[in-house]
């Protein structure tokens, strides 16, 4: 419902691997050289929210940026504009997450911020969803993200600091008609963010869940169905990128974009029966 990752599946398959050994301790982001913030790895960075996050971090300054996405040409353009380093990859391929992590560590020695922005959607009746599309949504939105986090987090733990930002969707919080699998995938990310946050609390590594509503990106064109609802109205991806930055700067656990979207989430939590009746009638 909120963002997209697209492009040719051109990255070569590599053998699967276990998480890389954790790197040695590194100074916290912001320490040392004046203005230095650390290394940021952004996935889904060739367009949409991911590209906007890259531009926002570049504007803040002090970040060594590594960008990943499936569209090599677009990724290179975004990286060039942000003075970042591009690593084109299809993270659903076996071992791709290990190759990406190794690429970042070989060049920068650390990962201080991971923004997992890669995602795809599919809209339509669940019974008509092709099996291949079902698998792709789960592979891109859930499996690839969890595998990458599994590679990166040990290095953050060894450093004693770091932040994982997971780009979710309102669909994963309240569920959306005709987006059953996408809603399920984003709900999985929301639960993962909470569980991982509890687990990592003693380590100095933080987890942020960013929950956009409808974002004005090519997401809806690529999923095959245009956005037709009157509300919520689409927001530009730059607004989500601003929210990502504020969450990082202010140590926020969860952020809705726009903020008023937390209201339906609270209604669903407090009065699920009422919410379901309203959603069935108006959603």
């Amino acid at each position: 419902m909120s963002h997209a990752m697209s492009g040719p599946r051109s990255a070569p398959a590599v053998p699967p691997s276990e998480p890389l050994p954790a790197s040695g301790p590194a100074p916290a982001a912001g320490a040392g050289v004046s203005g230095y913030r650390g290394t940021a790895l952004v996935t889904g960075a060739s367009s949409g929210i991911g590209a906007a996050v890259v531009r926002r971090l570049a504007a803040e300054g002090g970040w060594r940026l590594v960008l990943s996405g499936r569209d090599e040409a677009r990724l290179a353009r975004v990286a060039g504009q942000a003075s970042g380093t591009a690593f084109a990859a299809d993270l659903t391929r076996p071992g791709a997450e290990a190759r990406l992590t190794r690429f970042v560590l070989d060049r920068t020695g650390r990962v201080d911020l991971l923004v997992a922005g890669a995602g795809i959607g599919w809209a339509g009746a669940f019974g008509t969803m092709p099996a291949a599309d079902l698998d792709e949504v789960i592979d891109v939105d859930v499996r690839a993200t969890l595998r990458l986090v599994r590679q990166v987090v040990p290095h953050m733990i060894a450093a004693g600091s770091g932040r994982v930002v997971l780009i979710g969707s309102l669909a994963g919080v309240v569920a959306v008609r005709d987006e059953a699998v996408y809603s399920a995938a984003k709900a999985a990310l929301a639960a993962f963010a909470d569980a991982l946050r509890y687990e990592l609390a003693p380590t100095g590594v933080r987890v942020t869940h960013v929950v956009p509503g409808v974002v004005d990106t090519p997401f809806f064109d690529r999923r095959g169905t245009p956005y037709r609802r009157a509300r919520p109205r689409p927001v530009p991806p730059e607004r989500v990128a601003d929210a990502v930055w504020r969450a990082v700067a202010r140590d926020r656990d969860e952020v809705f974009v726009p903020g008023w979207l937390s209201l339906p989430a609270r209604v669903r939590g407090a009065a699920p029966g009422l919410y379901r009746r309203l959603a069935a009638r108006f959603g």
Side-chain angles (χ1 to χ4, degrees), residues 72-105:
E72 187 171 358
R74 287 193 300 181
L75 189 70
R77 286 196 294 272
V78 176
Q81 294 165 358
S83 299
T85 302
F87 184 90
D90 178 353
L91 293 178
T92 68
R93 296 291 181 88
E97 73 284 352
R99 291 174 54 236
L100 174 58
T101 304
R102 187 175 295 112
F103 177 86
V104 179
L105 294 175

Side-chain angles (χ1 to χ4, degrees), residues 192-278:
F192 175 66
D194 280 342
L196 188 64
R197 188 181 302 114
Y198 305 146
E199 180 179 330
L200 296 180
T203 71
V205 179
R206 302 290 181 253
V207 179
T208 296
H209 181 218
V210 176
V211 188
V214 184
V215 185
D216 187 11
T217 71
F219 177 84
F220 295 100
D221 295 334
R222 292 170 185 159
R223 75 174 188 172
T225 304
Y227 181 72
R228 296 190 176 95
R229 296 188 179 96
R231 291 179 66 85
R233 298 185 64 179
V235 301
E238 288 75 18
R239 187 165 176 182
V240 183
D242 287 343
V244 169
W245 172 247
R246 288 195 302 272
V248 171
R250 300 174 186 176
D251 192 22
R252 300 282 300 278
D253 289 341
E254 188 168 65
V255 180
F256 286 79
V257 189
W260 69 265
L261 288 179
S262 63
L263 177 60
R266 290 197 296 269
V267 171
R268 185 181 186 276
L274 171 62
Y275 180 86
R276 291 187 186 107
R277 288 194 295 274
L278 292 172

Side-chain angles (χ1 to χ4, degrees), residues 1-22:
M1 181 175 177
S2 63
H3 65 287
M5 178 185 74
S6 66
R9 291 175 168 269
S10 57
V14 296
S17 66
E18 292 301 308
L20 297 169

